[in-house]
Amino acid sequence: MLQSSINLQYLDMNRIEHIGIAVNDLKIAGNTYQKLLNSLIYKVEEVPSEGVITAFLQSGPNKIELLEATSADSPIAKFIAKKGEGIHHIAFEVDDIIAEMERLKREGFVLLNDAPKRGADNKLVCFVHPKSACGVLVELCQEVK
Ligand code: ZN
């Protein structure tokens, strides 16, 4: 049900930018997803601050991000220990991440970081707590120009 407080003219949450999948082994998962999507990994990138190594594949206009933990205290390692491999987050592209973070805070969402941080694939990112979004970890991402 739509609430009257939702501003339907607000277009900042543009589209799903990618879906993040937590995997045990990036090589094995990479091969599986290359076969599944009939598409090659076009970028592998380590994000030391998050303790992950990521691989990106494209499926038409859509992107899949595979994430393997590089340390035992990485959020991905914790996720896999708890839930096993699987969909880890959904990322939405935004034009102005600061404005969008402010809007979500005003709406009562719990953000996992106070300021945008550098993510993979040349993005500024911020995460919304899954408890705020019906069990789904939501990532906001803004392309760094
Ligand atoms: Zn992501």
Side-chain angles (χ1 to χ4, degrees):
M1 195 170 70
L2 284 177
Q3 291 180 0
S4 56
S5 66
I6 292 175
N7 179 357
L8 294 174
Q9 285 171 339
Y10 205 99
L11 295 173
D12 209 16
M13 205 81 118
N14 287 331
R15 64 181 182 103
I16 292 177
E17 214 280 334
H18 63 268
I19 294 174
I21 299 175
V23 304
N24 284 319
D25 184 307
L26 203 60
K27 276 206 179 87
I28 293 170
N31 281 332
T32 300
Y33 271 81
Q34 288 189 127
K35 278 186 225 161
L36 179 72
L37 302 174
N38 198 23
S39 172
L40 292 174
I41 289 170
Y42 65 89
K43 183 187 274 188
V44 175
E45 187 180 346
E46 189 168 351
V47 186
S49 60
E50 293 290 299
V52 295
I53 182 158
T54 64
F56 286 88
L57 298 102
Q58 194 111 22
S59 165
N62 305 304
K63 280 190 217 162
I64 298 290
E65 175 186 33
L66 303 175
L67 304 116
E68 180 193 325
T70 53
S71 69
D73 60 350
S74 147
I76 294 299
K78 288 178 190 156
F79 177 90
I80 287 181
K82 217 162 131 187
K83 299 187 174 178
E85 290 185 304
I87 292 180
H88 177 258
H89 65 269
I90 299 179
F92 291 88
E93 177 186 80
V94 300
D95 292 328
D96 182 342
I97 195 166
I98 303 277
E100 200 60 12
M101 287 169 70
E102 287 304 319
R103 182 183 73 83
L104 292 176
K105 271 192 258 177
R106 279 198 307 275
E107 296 283 2
F109 289 90
V110 176
L111 305 182
L112 291 180
N113 38 304
D114 294 331
K117 52 186 181 177
R118 199 70 188 234
D121 202 25
N122 199 36
K123 299 281 196 301
L124 286 173
V125 303
C126 171
F127 288 93
V128 179
H129 198 292
K131 280 186 183 150
S132 294
C134 311
V136 176
L137 177 62
V138 171
E139 174 187 336
L140 309 179
C141 62
Q142 179 186 341
E143 179 107 45
V144 179
K145 295 194 170 117

